[in-house]
Amino acid sequence: MQILISEKAEHDLDIMDPAIRKIFIKHIEKISQMPPRRHMRFGLPFNVEEVGQGRIVYQMENDSMIVLRCFAVHKEYEKWYSSFK
């Protein structure tokens, strides 16, 4: 499976602490080998995966996994998520 990382997710990873970034990258690789688990509500075409207190928002298309955003803190994720309600 091909892993694509959006510019926003790349920026999110760049501003993270290196230790946290390493955990996120390992988790992204793990997700790419397993089928998606949790789908977001409100008809949004995204999947979300928990990484400690953070979240990875991604989308599955054909044989690709597109990482849209990476949030190190749950509060940032909630703020982004509430913008869709």
Side-chain angles (χ1 to χ4, degrees), residues 11 13-14 23 28-29 33-35 44 46 51 53 55 58-59 62 65-66 69 71 73 75:
H11 175 72
L13 289 169
D14 287 343
I23 294 169
I28 289 169
E29 291 171 356
Q33 297 172 3
M34 299 170 61
L44 299 174
F46 312 127
V51 181
Q53 289 194 11
R55 301 289 185 274
Y58 62 99
Q59 199 171 18
N62 301 325
M65 175 183 145
I66 304 167
R69 294 297 304 263
F71 299 99
V73 181
K75 198 172 223 180

Side-chain angles (χ1 to χ4, degrees), residues 40 46-47 55-58 66-69 71 77 80:
M40 292 182 72
F46 312 127
N47 293 304
R55 301 289 185 274
I56 297 173
V57 179
Y58 62 99
I66 304 167
V67 179
L68 301 171
R69 294 297 304 263
F71 299 99
Y77 165 74
W80 175 83

Side-chain angles (χ1 to χ4, degrees), residues 12 15 25 39 51 78:
D12 293 339
I15 62 174
I25 291 171
H39 197 272
V51 181
E78 283 183 338

Side-chain angles (χ1 to χ4, degrees), residues 40-44 81 84-85:
M40 292 182 72
R41 292 188 266 185
F42 303 114
L44 299 174
Y81 178 68
F84 291 104
K85 292 182 181 178

